[in-house]
Amino acid sequence: MEHNYPIKRIVDDKGFLVDMSFQKQIDEQLVRNLYYHMLRIRTFDRKAINLQRQGRLGTYAPFEGQEAAQVGSALALNAEDWVFPTYRDHGATITFGKNMATTFLYWNGRVEGCVAPADKNIFPPAVPIATQLPHAVGAAWAEKRRGTQNAAIAYFGDGATSEGDFHEGLNFASVFKVPVVFFNQNNGYAISVPIEKQMNSATIAQKSVAYGMPGYRIDGNDCFAVYFETKKAFDYARSGNGPTLIEAVTWRKGAHTTADDPSKYRSEEQGKNFVDPLIRLELFMKNYGYWNDEWIQAAQEKTTSEVEAAVVEMEKFPPPNVADVFDHVYAEMPAQLVEQKQAYLAHLGRL
Amino acid sequence: MTQLKEPNRKNETTKLMTLIQAINDGMRLILAEDNRTIILGEDIGKNGGVFRATEGLQEQFGDDRVVDTPLSEAGIIGTSIGLAVNGFRPVAEIQFLGFIYPAYEQIMTHVSRIRMRSMSRFTVPMVIRAPYGAGIRAPEIHSDSTEILFTHMPGIKVVCPSTPYDAKGLLIAAMEDPDPVLVLEPMKNYRSKREEVPVGKYTVEIGKGKIVREGSDVTLIAWGAMISIAEKAAEQAEKQGISCEIIDLRTLYPIDRDIIAESVQKTTRAVIIHEAHHTGGLGNDIVSIINDTSFLYLRAPIERVTGFDVPVPFFTLEEHYLPTPARVVEGIEKVLHF
Ligand SMILES: Cc1ncc(C[n+]2csc(CCOP(=O)(O)OP(=O)(O)O)c2C)c(N)n1
Ligand SMILES: [Mg+2]
């Protein structure tokens, strides 16, 4: 079936502007901000994979290849907005303000890793697929009821569009005209299942039609397209127009998680037509005179030392507290749980 | 004492298998034998399942019989119902028990109830397989052990093998059962040991427990991944001169009441072990069975060693959630020195 959702790009694979209308809005500050954050989260991601291989981190979900989608969207938010990520969106949440060491802790089996800074509305990552979409709608609805200018973003994958919660979230958002942006990263695969087997529709963007909301299909490896389209969707939401669905077409370069072996289901050749988002931005910077070796080197040193410091912080973190197994389940612990906790702590004391 | 008639395995061709290989072998046999069988799930085709339970099956039987579905548990179970009422024998894989909840409505309201609502005009002979349990350092929410949501549900049977032999036999029995069966597979046991498993077809009867250790002082009742905890506790107790009998329940609904009653009447004491939460756990049903059948034989109140009334914690704390041999030994001491 034909569709009306061509992929929108601002910069092409060789780093040349294809949409001149953005020429004025792209300045050195934006370019450097995008590059710096993409480099920063890539450094984090590669470090995490290494730590996992060395047995210093648990199973980890890498996002290499999706940096433009995650950074471009996260930088388009206001500080008071709400973020509802999945397990693969820690690139976006770190960019938005989640602590790196905390993020490492999450992947090391520590519940502390779910906790965002008090001034950032970042939900714990959604592990059951698509469950976060209705949450984002509810949080955005609350902002609307309170009459604020804040909005919410829900991150989700291509596979998530098959779950009921995806459809229920979009429907509620459009019925109640809620200020939420549904930000899909179509990375081609849901674990081993390619998008052609996931859905019979040619695009994810076109699913917006059924819910009467605008839908955009963008090049998810073009950080400018991601940044400006996300900003546009947020402006639309903040002006009281309701939700938008964005499909950012990208590619998961690595495994689904460190426990996954992609050679079981896809060839090395696949994905070769996707130009790495950092390389693309580098080409753009060189084409338009933004590339500065000294600045790049300083950025590399700064991000590397930040990631190394976060590893040290994660590894120095106090050992898990057994009481935490019991202490955060209720505001006031029911008597029978108090009894279980005391009996268990007493048992540990006897060992 | 109930002695199960174990098939004589000496004359059969056997092969060393892990639990996951035994599951794979069971599905392979029935796919070959019964063309009504259809396997559905996420990542079960080319990828062979995230645990490799369906490894090689799509290659051998084709992608219309071993089907990678869209990512939707309600879709998998809902369409399996339609397939089952219309002549097929679906085996649905849910990737982790912690992700079965989107399908809960389909199971609670339809899988378990269509026979009753149609007075047996429509039946749902399907199998749902789901890996469950903590203790493998999995990411959060992958470690649930919520069997009682299903044992509480009239119209579906629930089995939980702990060994490769039982896994294959119970899975085949489930695939041949006229009613829906949930097969809970302890992830922790998937590759923990190998045993000789017949390469041919056999079944393990649904609804029958098994004595895995004979003893005289106390009966330990467990299933799935908790069997090895019970065994370790029994060994430690033996050093104190306490003789433990262990029942591997194997089927969680319908429970083998006779094996429990006979053993408890002999030992006069019982400790129940499960990794699910304490309140509302299956242990309570077992206490009721002992109460109904063996109350006057008891020399001590029954002990339950279970997970706590908290969500399964992140993996750095999961050892503090799961029953340990030390906790079970304390339970044993308590019933012995009452
Ligand atoms: C309800 C539910 N079912 C199954 C899973 C197991 N699972 C984890 S990730 C995943 C694939 C998700 O694919 P997609 O939505 O495309 O996101 P991606 O991983 O590609 O970022 C699956 C099936 C889950 N986490 N939750
Ligand atoms: Mg995907």
Side-chain angles (χ1 to χ4, degrees):
Chain A
M1 204 172 73
E2 266 308 300
H3 65 85
N4 300 318
Y5 294 93
I7 294 187
K8 184 181 165 82
R9 295 179 143 187
I10 292 177
V11 168
D12 69 12
D13 282 345
K14 299 205 160 69
F16 289 106
L17 270 176
V18 288
D19 186 342
M20 291 304 161
S21 63
F22 288 91
Q23 206 168 5
K24 285 215 180 81
Q25 297 173 64
I26 297 175
D27 59 16
E28 185 176 73
Q29 196 192 343
L30 176 64
V31 172
R32 284 193 170 180
N33 211 13
L34 286 164
Y35 190 88
Y36 185 82
H37 282 285
M38 282 162 64
L39 179 67
R40 180 170 176 253
I41 64 165
R42 172 158 298 180
T43 310
F44 174 92
D45 192 58
R46 290 190 172 169
K47 186 74 195 180
I49 293 170
N50 278 333
L51 292 175
Q52 193 281 333
R53 290 199 180 123
Q54 295 164 21
R56 292 158 72 190
L57 210 64
T59 303
Y60 173 76
F63 52 72
E64 182 155 337
Q66 301 180 212
E67 290 89 347
Q70 296 201 10
V71 168
S73 57
L75 289 181
L77 310 179
N78 287 350
E80 292 77 31
D81 288 335
W82 285 79
V83 176
F84 291 82
T86 75
Y87 49 84
R88 202 186 301 289
D89 300 313
H90 32 295
T93 55
I94 288 171
T95 304
F96 187 63
K98 191 154 175 183
N99 184 289
M100 256 190 202
T102 306
T103 308
F104 276 134
L105 284 170
Y106 178 77
W107 294 103
N108 231 350
R110 298 294 298 268
V111 66
E112 293 90 338
C114 278
V115 186
D119 63 344
K120 284 279 153 39
N121 293 320
I122 305 174
F123 224 53
V127 173
I129 302 299
T131 49
Q132 74 280 22
L133 276 79
H135 307 158
V137 174
W141 192 2
E143 294 292 346
K144 178 179 169 173
R145 287 291 313 276
R146 272 202 297 271
T148 73
Q149 281 292 296
N150 304 332
I153 187 166
Y155 287 94
F156 60 103
D158 40 289
T161 63
S162 295
E163 290 280 9
D165 281 351
F166 163 80
H167 300 273
E168 291 164 35
L170 266 68
N171 191 41
F172 269 62
S174 62
V175 166
F176 298 116
K177 265 202 172 182
V178 160
V180 61
V181 176
F182 298 106
F183 190 85
N184 177 265
Q185 286 167 85
N186 174 359
N187 64 4
Y189 275 83
I191 310 187
S192 70
V193 179
I195 186 140
E196 319 81 74
K197 287 195 178 168
Q198 192 67 243
M199 63 191 70
N200 196 36
S201 45
T203 71
I204 288 169
Q206 75 196 63
K207 295 177 195 277
S208 63
V209 175
Y211 297 102
M213 68 174 78
Y216 301 102
R217 187 164 205 248
I218 61 175
D219 182 335
N221 286 12
D222 172 355
C223 56
F224 297 108
V226 175
Y227 176 77
F228 287 111
E229 285 302 318
T230 309
K231 252 203 155 19
K232 188 172 89 188
F234 269 91
D235 289 344
Y236 182 84
R238 292 187 215 288
S239 315
N241 297 309
T244 299
L245 172 62
I246 296 176
E247 174 186 2
V249 180
T250 180
W251 183 253
R252 186 192 84 209
K253 285 172 76 176
H256 169 71
T257 68
T258 48
D260 173 53
D261 173 11
S263 70
K264 296 268 307 178
Y265 53 82
R266 70 185 195 189
S267 70
E268 286 281 330
E269 281 311 296
Q270 280 175 269
K272 282 269 155 68
N273 54 330
F274 282 90
V275 177
D276 181 275
L278 269 116
I279 293 176
R280 236 162 100 176
L281 183 53
E282 179 178 335
L283 293 172
F284 171 86
M285 289 167 81
K286 287 178 173 161
N287 291 341
Y288 294 92
Y290 291 108
W291 191 259
N292 173 324
D293 283 329
E294 262 165 55
W295 182 81
I296 294 291
Q297 207 191 328
Q300 278 165 351
E301 280 162 16
K302 199 166 161 207
T303 53
T304 304
S305 62
E306 186 190 5
V307 169
E308 291 303 331
V311 176
V312 172
E313 194 183 333
M314 182 254 303
E315 292 190 330
K316 275 201 183 137
F317 204 76
N321 182 359
V322 178
D324 284 341
V325 170
F326 303 91
D327 286 353
H328 305 280
V329 187
Y330 294 95
E332 201 176 317
M333 203 183 287
Q336 65 212 77
L337 191 49
V338 172
E339 213 172 274
Q340 290 175 23
K341 178 182 171 184
Q342 285 170 352
Y344 184 62
L345 294 179
H347 165 80
L348 286 181
R350 287 190 292 274
L351 290 183
Chain B
M1 200 185 86
T2 310
Q3 266 305 346
L4 277 174
K5 270 192 228 128
E6 289 285 0
N8 177 5
R9 293 185 218 171
K10 287 210 183 93
N11 302 325
E12 290 176 275
T13 317
T14 63
K15 211 175 133 183
L16 262 185
M17 291 186 203
T18 60
L19 195 152
I20 194 87
Q21 287 166 336
I23 293 277
N24 180 279
D25 199 55
M27 283 190 283
R28 191 185 303 273
L29 271 173
I30 304 301
L31 275 164
E33 178 187 290
D34 183 347
N35 64 10
R36 297 172 304 169
T37 307
I38 174 169
I39 317 263
L40 302 90
E42 296 159 8
D43 305 288
I44 66 161
K46 251 191 191 169
N47 201 37
V50 295
F51 289 102
R52 307 290 180 247
T54 51
E55 179 93 63
L57 298 185
Q58 188 179 68
E59 215 178 336
Q60 188 174 345
F61 298 100
D63 61 7
D64 53 348
R65 295 194 64 203
V66 180
V67 187
D68 271 326
T69 67
L71 206 176
S72 164
E73 291 72 18
I76 293 169
I77 303 298
T79 55
S80 291
I81 294 171
L83 285 160
V85 300
N86 201 7
F88 281 83
R89 291 243 167 194
V91 178
E93 175 176 303
I94 297 295
Q95 210 161 73
F96 290 84
L97 186 63
F99 301 140
I100 202 170
Y101 311 121
Y104 195 80
E105 176 181 38
Q106 291 293 347
I107 304 172
M108 179 71 192
T109 312
H110 301 295
V111 168
S112 59
R113 240 185 277 225
I114 285 177
R115 176 186 288 281
M116 186 277 282
R117 290 178 57 233
S118 68
M119 297 182 81
S120 298
R121 163 74 174 81
F122 293 120
T123 61
V124 187
M126 70 182 274
V127 174
I128 305 171
R129 296 180 36 246
Y132 85 93
I136 62 159
R137 292 173 68 82
E140 57 160 342
I141 319 192
H142 289 68
S143 310
D144 280 11
S145 177
T146 44
E147 62 272 9
I148 62 95
L149 299 180
F150 305 94
T151 58
H152 188 68
M153 202 184 261
I156 187 168
K157 298 174 184 175
V158 182
V159 302
C160 182
S162 73
T163 65
Y165 180 84
D166 285 345
K168 179 172 168 184
L170 279 171
L171 178 67
I172 293 175
M175 291 171 84
E176 296 189 330
D177 200 276
D179 283 311
V181 182
L182 173 64
V183 181
L184 295 171
E185 300 169 2
M187 276 181 260
K188 199 160 165 96
N189 293 21
Y190 265 160
R191 295 183 169 82
S192 61
K193 60 176 170 230
R194 283 165 203 277
E195 71 176 349
E196 289 294 338
V197 173
V199 296
K201 184 174 160 184
Y202 65 93
T203 56
V204 167
E205 192 180 342
I206 294 174
K208 292 287 181 216
K210 178 169 78 171
I211 305 284
V212 292
R213 181 187 174 108
E214 290 201 43
S216 53
D217 295 327
V218 54
T219 302
L220 310 184
I221 302 163
W223 56 91
M226 287 298 109
I227 294 298
S228 66
I229 302 296
E231 283 170 339
K232 284 182 192 128
E235 277 158 32
Q236 289 175 24
E238 193 171 32
K239 291 181 192 140
Q240 302 178 35
I242 303 169
S243 162
C244 299
E245 178 144 301
I246 302 177
I247 296 174
D248 181 348
L249 213 50
R250 301 198 292 188
T251 293
L252 309 186
Y253 194 92
I255 295 184
D256 187 345
R257 299 159 57 93
D258 293 345
I259 201 170
I260 294 171
E262 278 180 46
S263 175
V264 172
Q265 288 173 17
K266 180 181 82 178
T267 64
T268 68
R269 299 174 187 93
V271 176
I272 301 158
I273 305 146
H274 61 67
E275 67 175 279
H277 316 298
H278 190 76
T279 299
L282 195 66
N284 297 0
D285 288 288
I286 299 167
V287 170
S288 300
I289 288 169
I290 297 172
N291 187 60
D292 292 350
T293 60
S294 316
F295 183 74
L296 293 176
Y297 292 82
L298 288 179
R299 278 200 258 185
I302 301 155
E303 271 299 305
R304 283 168 298 149
V305 180
T306 69
F308 302 113
D309 287 354
V310 304
V312 183
F314 280 56
F315 71 69
T316 45
L317 284 171
E318 65 185 351
E319 63 184 295
H320 291 291
Y321 171 84
L322 286 171
T324 56
R327 278 175 66 199
V328 177
V329 168
E330 282 197 350
I332 293 169
E333 287 165 349
K334 217 163 152 190
V335 296
L336 259 112
H337 307 305
F338 177 68

